């Protein structure tokens, strides 16, 4: 598969060139992660280098950079943290016993200076900080070499570029909950639906990835043994904000939020917490329609059902892509259609049920629960308006 087949047009996004303000010693870490780490990990996978050899090489680089760490500026520190965690995650296939202590010490020193830094590879670092650096300097941190490295780059950048569409849909719906205006409800809902169409199409492109290509870098995204969860798309903030403004959190979704809050991007945590509380108290589209606070004419009802359908379409696409790339997480699951999911007796426990995925949750149960909640909300809204007519 050629890299242009995954996200056409990404290579046409201009990257500006700006000076690096980091001390020379810290730049050596960056140069290593960008230029040498993928080849070293390939050599380890081919048994041409041992993890002990890898640790020895990296520790020498860290020793050279010791006087430059930790970094004082938070922006620069985030980029250095990304580089250090890329080095650390290269040891995930071997387990904690392979982690070099000097590398762990460097990461801890960074966190001591800047408590807001994630001490583990997070969605924000892997996707957002990484993509921002690509857009600034034309370099993306990846674990893979060659064509696989380009696919991996597109995987990260594609998530980053897709986020604004779902965030815009959230902004449109949250304004309706806060200040409903009958004259603007249908157009706003229609625009939210169009944004979700864009988001679904963007995310559906991952279906072009082969299982082999995906698994070549997925092994570096897994959670640490008996430690933090991995950097997973389950922690994409816009998707959670959109769900909270659309439907009230269920008991099982509350479990997910309890377990996930420290893994969302730092900027989004207070916003998600705020909308979690507001949605639980009824400040969401579904409750507002059901109790009559949000009065919809037929055009607005049609547009709202379209929003729910498009969000469900995304969830189903995500489910289908994940089932293709991680089939072992769905063994014995049978059919995965809207009808079969709607017919479930309820949501399923996300902390059990097989393959935990990079997020540490049951892959199948997290994804089918999300579809189940949207289908249940759609049924309620459709039913109340059918009765009214």
């Amino acid at each position: 598969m050629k890299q242009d087949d995954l996200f056409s047009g990404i290579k046409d996004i201009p990257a500006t060139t700006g000076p690096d303000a980091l001390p020379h010693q810290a730049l050596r870490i960056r140069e290593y992660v960008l230029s040498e780490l993928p080849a070293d990990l390939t050599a380890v996978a081919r048994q041409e280098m041992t993890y002990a050899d890898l640790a020895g090489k990296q520790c020498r680089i860290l020793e050279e950079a010791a006087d430059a760490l930790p970094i004082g500026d938070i922006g620069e520190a985030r980029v250095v943290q990304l580089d250090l965690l890329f080095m650390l995650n290269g040891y995930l296939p071997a387990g904690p016993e392979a982690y070099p202590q000097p590398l762990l010490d460097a990461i801890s020193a960074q966190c001591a200076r800047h408590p807001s830094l994630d001490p583990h590879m997070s969605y924000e670092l892997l996707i957002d900080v990484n993509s921002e650096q690509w857009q600034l300097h034309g370099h993306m941190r990846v674990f893979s070499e060659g064509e696989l490295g380009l696919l991996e780059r597109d995987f990260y950048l594609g998530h980053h570029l897709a986020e604004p569409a779902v965030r815009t849909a959230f902004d449109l719906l949250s304004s309706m909950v806060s200040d409903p205006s009958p004259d603007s409800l249908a157009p706003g809902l229609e625009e939210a639906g169009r944004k979700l169409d864009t988001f679904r199409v963007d995310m559906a492109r991952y279906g072009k990835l082969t299982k082999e290509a995906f698994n070549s870098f997925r092994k570096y995204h897994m959670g640490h043994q008996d430690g933090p969860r991995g950097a997973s798309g389950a922690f994409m903030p816009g998707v959670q904000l959109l769900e909270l403004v659309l439907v009230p959190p269920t008991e099982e979704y509350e479990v997910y939020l309890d377990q996930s809050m420290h893994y969302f991007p730092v900027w989004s945590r207070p916003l998600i917490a705020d909308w979690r509380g507001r949605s639980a108290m009824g400040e969401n589209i579904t409750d507002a329609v059901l109790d009559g606070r949000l009065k919809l004419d037929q055009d607005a009802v049609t547009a709202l059902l379209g929003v729910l359908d498009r969000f469900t379409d995304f969830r189903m696409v995500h489910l289908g892509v994940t089932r293709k790339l991680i089939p072992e997480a769905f063994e014995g699951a049978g059919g995965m259609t809207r009808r079969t999911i709607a017919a479930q007796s309820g949501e399923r426990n996300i902390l059990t049920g097989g393959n935990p995925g990079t997020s540490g949750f049951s892959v199948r149960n997290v994804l089918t629960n999300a579809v189940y909640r949207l289908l249940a909300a759609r049924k309620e809204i459709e039913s109340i308006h059918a009765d009214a007519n």
Side-chain angles (χ1 to χ4, degrees), residues 45-355:
R46 293 174 177 170
Q47 299 184 332
E48 298 167 355
M49 174 187 276
T50 66
Y51 281 107
D53 294 333
L54 181 66
K57 178 178 180 178
Q58 293 182 355
C59 286
R60 288 191 293 273
I61 293 171
L62 289 172
E63 187 175 356
E64 294 171 9
D67 291 340
L69 298 176
I71 302 297
D73 178 82
I74 182 60
E76 295 168 3
R78 278 156 52 94
V79 179
V80 172
Q81 192 79 336
L82 173 66
D83 288 328
L84 294 173
L85 290 167
F86 251 86
M87 292 165 67
L88 182 64
N89 275 34
Y91 296 91
L92 280 176
E97 61 277 3
Y99 300 169
Q101 191 59 47
L103 180 55
L104 295 173
D105 291 343
I107 293 167
S108 296
Q110 287 275 97
C111 293
R113 177 70 65 89
H114 299 287
S116 65
L117 285 178
D118 290 314
H120 52 83
M121 183 66 83
S122 63
Y123 180 94
E124 183 174 19
L125 287 171
L126 181 67
I127 301 301
D128 294 332
V129 174
N130 203 6
S131 295
E132 288 161 6
Q133 286 298 298
W134 187 88
Q135 291 171 315
L136 283 171
H137 303 295
H139 300 297
M140 179 75 79
R141 279 86 172 150
V142 294
F143 295 102
S144 312
E145 288 190 286
E147 193 68 34
L148 281 175
L150 294 174
L151 290 171
E152 185 182 347
R153 179 205 70 175
D154 289 0
F155 185 83
Y156 304 151
L157 191 56
H159 277 80
H160 182 72
L161 296 176
E163 172 83 15
V166 72
R167 280 290 308 280
T168 299
F170 160 74
D171 289 338
L172 288 163
L173 297 182
S174 63
S175 67
M176 294 177 196
V177 171
S178 302
D179 184 23
S181 172
D183 293 338
S184 63
L185 289 180
L189 288 164
E190 289 165 359
E191 177 61 15
R194 285 190 288 271
K195 291 298 181 182
L196 287 176
D197 268 337
T198 299
F199 181 63
R200 175 186 55 79
V201 169
D202 286 345
M203 300 303 287
R205 292 188 175 114
Y206 292 120
K208 297 179 181 179
L209 269 176
T210 65
K211 182 176 68 171
E212 292 72 25
F214 178 65
N215 284 326
S216 70
F217 56 85
R218 179 179 180 252
K219 61 188 175 184
Y220 301 115
H221 296 166
M222 303 301 291
H224 294 265
Q225 183 179 323
D226 300 321
R229 299 177 186 277
S232 169
F235 307 125
M236 191 176 196
V239 173
Q240 310 312 322
L241 288 166
L242 182 62
E243 171 151 348
L244 287 169
V245 78
L246 265 177
V247 298
T250 62
E251 181 178 351
E252 200 62 39
Y253 189 54
E254 293 275 20
V255 172
Y256 163 80
L257 292 172
D258 285 339
Q259 297 275 327
S260 300
M261 194 58 71
H262 294 297
Y263 297 94
F264 296 127
V266 173
W267 65 263
S268 72
R269 294 172 195 171
L271 188 58
I272 291 173
D274 178 47
W275 274 97
R276 177 185 183 178
R278 293 172 65 174
S279 186
M281 295 297 292
E283 289 190 54
N284 61 75
I285 294 288
T286 298
D287 281 345
V289 170
L290 295 179
D291 66 19
R293 282 175 290 137
L294 199 59
K295 301 186 185 303
L296 307 181
D297 60 21
Q298 190 54 51
D299 288 343
V301 171
T302 300
L304 174 56
L305 294 177
V307 166
L308 289 165
D309 287 340
R310 288 178 172 103
F311 197 19
T312 305
D313 287 344
F314 155 69
R315 290 295 198 182
M316 291 299 296
V317 164
H318 189 189
L319 182 61
V321 171
T322 305
R323 193 174 190 182
K324 171 192 171 182
L325 298 178
I326 317 174
E328 61 273 17
F330 295 87
E331 290 178 357
M336 288 280 134
T337 65
R338 283 171 169 79
R339 178 173 294 182
T340 59
I341 294 171
Q344 290 179 186
S345 58
E347 294 182 55
R348 293 169 171 159
N349 190 332
I350 62 172
L351 302 179
T352 62
N355 194 297

